[in-house]
Each structure stands twice: as C-alpha cells, then as structure tokens.
Amino acid sequence: MKVTVERAHLLKALNHVHRIVERRNTIPILSNVLLRAEGDDLRLKATDLDIDVAERVPAVISEPGATTVPAHMLYDIVRKLPDGSQVELATRPDGATIDLRSGRSKFSLQMLPESDFPDITAGVFTHKFDILASDLKRLVDRTQFAISTEETRYYLNGIYFHTVEVGGDLRFRAVATDGHRLAQAEFIAPHGAEGMPGVIVPRKTVGEIQKLVEDPEAQVTVELSDSKIRLSFGEVVLTSKLIDGTFPDYGRVIPQGNDKDLIVDRSEFAAAVDRVSTISSERGRAVKLTVGDGRLTLSVTNPDSGSATEELGVEYESEPLDIGFNSRYLLEIAGQLETDTAIFRLADPGSPTLIQDRGRDNALYVLMPMRV
C-alpha cells in the first residue's frame, strides 16, 4: 500500500475513529486502526468489538492495499505534524512495517495484518430513516445524564429509543433512568421510523453520537435491527451493538396526579441551589425546598460545616410543602431545561416530582425525593 493524503483530512478522520480504541487492550489488533486504500479514498476504521467507527478521506493512491497500525500513536504523530502538510503512508515489502513521511519527518510503525481486524457490521438493518442532526443531539443531550452507571442493571446503561403514539401523532422518543431520576424527550417521528423496534443504545455509543454531531443542520441516516444501530454522519459511519435487554415500563413512574404546581425562574433557581449546596455533604447532597405563600426557601444543613438558606419569589397557590432533593440532580435537570421558566408538579414529600419547561411538552423529568 502506498497513499498520500492531506494532513488536515487524515487528522479529522483519526480524531473520529481513534476515540473508540481503548488505551489498554489485551487483544493487540483492537489497539489498531484499519487503513484501506482503494479508488480515490483512504478508508479508516476502528473498533472495540461493541462499536466501530469508519470514515473515508480523499487521497492519492499509488498502490492500493490495506493494513492496520496503532491508532493512538498514528493520531499523535499526525496531530503534531505542521498544518498544510502532506502525509505519505507506504508499507514495506516485509509486511510488518509501514513508513510515514511528511516533509523532513519520517516514522516507521509496526503493522498487524488486515485479515486479523474484526468486523461487527455484518447483518441486515430492517429500518432506515433520516433525522436532523440537531434533533438527534437534543434528544441525547436532554436524556444522557440520567443513564444508570450500575452495571448490574445493565438494561439501564443506555438510552431507550422507540416510537409512541401521542394524540394521533407518532413520536420518536428517548428515555433514560437510573431509578432516582428519569429523563424523557421526543419529537415527531421521521418517515421510516414506523414499526421500528425499541432499542437501548449503550452509554459509550451515546457519547460518540454527541461528539459526531458537528453540523446541526446535517441529516443523519439511522439504520436499525434488533441487535445493532448504524448512524451515518456524512462520511463518518458509526455502528454499534445494542444492549440486549428489556427496558422497564417507565410510564408507571411518571406521576399523573401531581396537583401542586410550583413555577420558578429557571436560572435563579439553579443559581440558588448551587449556592446553598456548597456546604452540603459530598455523600448526601440534599437540599430542602420549603414552599408556600409565593415563596420558596432552599436550605441545607450539614452537621460538619454549618447551614445555608436562600429565599426566592415563586408562583405557588397550594398548601405549604417541605420536600428534599439531591442538589446535583436538580442542577442537572435545570441545565437541560430550555425556557426561562420551569414548572415543578408536586404531590407530597414522599412522591416523585415531575419537572418540565413551562408551556412545552416535548421533554419531561421525574425526580425522586430525598429525606431531609
């Protein structure tokens, strides 16, 4: 193989694919990126056996061929080359070494044969549709913080994507929960999503989706089967295994009868929670909300460091109520709300609370209370 490619193109592609590669691998081939030169393209692919990311860049191919080289080392070398430079990659006849030349720089890297590189992309995708990149990112951004990190409940270690009919409209919905909080976001389902299987996309894949959305106005092609998802971001293609499990019936934990509406200024509320939680214990993080007579008092008591209170003017017309929440969870939810005003639908100190943007129904959050 012998190929010449612009440093900027190669660096961009390596930046996308090398993130998949774990720094420490017991299987040597998984530390490598696959390079395939054919036609007018250099194709790159990396995998960890659960996800693979592939991209192609324009190149001048003198000798077609394929090999694999250490992903992180190649990325670091190309990253340190000067802007505007050309990179030549040429394998040696011994089949064990590849030379990289750029200007006065020359590197020789160990190779592993292309035949050893695993392929996880085989299979038939039964559903295919396009969605706007900004819509996909909004769904992911507004739900990913609630993904569980508890490995024993593996079916909660991702975002559940599915379609649901609401008021005669088919909606494409994302849900994540860790048992303490739940996040749900949705938009009108794109053409082609009808009848799609409900799928649980793993946390690592979710993180890569967030990074790969570079142009919010671009279309992302989504392909689904019962076991895999493939997303095409222009020349970048991400394929991932899905979590093999059943997502719980989350609708049962979304409160329907909460009749006490607390309406707050989102930014004022978040800033106040942030301030009073400064003295909360790292373990507890509890903040108490006392609401009544158009006032909300936030308070934190920590036997080891003291106490803090702050009062806000709010809209609230029900009987007084005291309820406690994890301050970090409150701040994470406040950070996902999009309007200036948030509405808390409360029931009692021991029941879950529903939180939404005032006047919008395309996302909701459920938060379990804490004892304070």
Side-chain angles (χ1 to χ4, degrees):
M1 183 183 85
K2 187 174 182 181
V3 56
T4 303
V5 60
E6 287 188 21
R7 180 251 186 196
H9 291 156
L10 182 58
L11 180 62
K12 183 178 180 181
L14 284 169
N15 185 46
H16 291 151
V17 303
H18 94 285
R19 291 192 303 251
I20 299 300
V21 179
E22 303 290 347
R23 286 281 181 182
R24 295 180 180 176
N25 260 310
T26 54
I27 306 173
I29 194 66
L30 296 183
S31 296
N32 282 18
V33 57
L34 173 65
L35 304 176
R36 184 185 303 279
E38 58 184 20
D40 297 322
D41 297 321
L42 176 65
R43 305 185 181 204
L44 301 89
K45 182 188 280 192
T47 186
D48 65 358
L49 294 182
D50 291 319
I51 309 172
D52 82 30
V53 175
E55 185 167 357
R56 57 185 183 182
V57 296
V60 177
I61 312 297
S62 304
E63 296 175 16
T67 188
T68 79
V69 295
H72 289 289
M73 186 174 294
L74 180 60
Y75 172 73
D76 286 340
I77 290 170
V78 175
R79 180 173 58 85
K80 295 173 182 178
L81 294 174
D83 290 341
S85 56
Q86 298 283 314
V87 180
E88 181 187 276
L89 297 162
T91 56
R92 292 186 186 176
D94 62 11
T97 311
I98 186 169
D99 290 331
L100 184 156
R101 299 174 185 268
S102 181
R104 298 180 181 180
S105 302
K106 179 183 176 183
F107 301 85
S108 294
L109 304 177
Q110 297 297 308
M111 304 186 306
L112 289 173
E114 172 248 351
S115 57
D116 291 353
F117 196 83
D119 181 14
I120 73 161
T121 60
V124 176
F125 292 91
T126 56
H127 289 76
K128 181 178 180 179
F129 51 88
D130 291 337
I131 57 178
L132 196 62
S134 57
D135 286 341
L136 176 62
K137 191 171 191 303
R138 185 179 293 111
L139 284 190
V140 170
D141 287 347
R142 300 189 78 179
T143 55
Q144 59 84 26
F145 71 92
I147 295 174
S148 175
T149 56
E150 190 180 331
E151 297 301 329
T152 55
R153 303 170 77 188
Y154 66 93
Y155 49 86
L156 298 181
N157 295 162
I159 295 178
Y160 178 48
F161 289 95
H162 58 298
T163 55
V164 60
E165 193 162 314
V166 180
D169 292 325
L170 189 67
R171 292 178 173 260
F172 187 69
R173 179 178 289 177
V175 180
T177 183
D178 62 2
H180 303 290
R181 62 257 173 94
L182 177 145
Q184 172 186 305
E186 65 190 29
F187 59 81
I188 297 296
H191 178 68
E194 303 86 357
M196 64 168 269
V199 298
I200 309 172
V201 178
R203 183 193 305 108
K204 183 174 179 180
T205 306
V206 167
E208 289 306 313
I209 291 171
Q210 287 179 296
K211 295 169 186 170
L212 288 172
V213 175
E214 295 173 339
D215 177 5
E217 299 304 315
Q219 290 288 327
V220 178
T221 300
V222 180
E223 297 172 86
L224 289 171
S225 71
D226 289 332
S227 61
K228 295 194 182 98
I229 184 171
R230 182 161 65 198
L231 300 105
S232 301
F233 303 80
E235 298 296 336
V236 188
V237 180
L238 181 153
T239 306
S240 171
K241 293 180 180 177
L242 299 167
I243 292 176
D244 183 12
T246 302
F247 201 79
D249 181 7
Y250 63 89
R252 290 173 22 188
V253 304
I254 298 175
Q256 303 297 326
N258 290 16
D259 57 355
K260 301 177 179 66
D261 287 356
L262 166 65
I263 299 170
V264 303
D265 180 282
R266 179 184 59 83
S267 57
E268 281 186 5
F269 175 77
V273 171
D274 194 26
R275 282 190 289 268
V276 299
S277 66
T278 306
I279 67 162
S280 65
S281 67
E282 191 66 28
R283 182 179 172 188
R285 294 184 177 273
V287 58
K288 179 180 177 182
L289 277 61
T290 302
V291 60
D293 297 327
R295 289 195 308 272
L296 169 64
T297 302
L298 300 102
S299 58
V300 172
T301 301
N302 184 346
D304 298 324
S305 57
S307 62
T309 62
E310 184 159 343
E311 192 174 283
L312 298 174
V314 298
E315 294 180 42
Y316 184 76
E317 298 177 355
S318 300
E319 63 266 25
L321 178 71
D322 291 350
I323 190 168
F325 294 109
N326 181 303
S327 58
R328 180 167 62 86
Y329 294 171
L330 281 175
L331 290 171
E332 286 178 338
I333 290 173
Q336 298 307 320
L337 297 173
E338 293 184 324
T339 65
D340 294 334
T341 310
I343 182 166
F344 287 65
R345 301 190 189 278
L346 304 157
D348 58 65
S351 298
T353 291
L354 183 66
I355 306 170
Q356 289 178 283
D357 282 299
R358 188 181 190 182
R360 291 195 184 180
D361 63 356
N362 61 349
L364 62 82
Y365 304 92
V366 178
L367 187 55
M368 295 299 295
M370 294 178 70
R371 288 183 180 179
V372 289

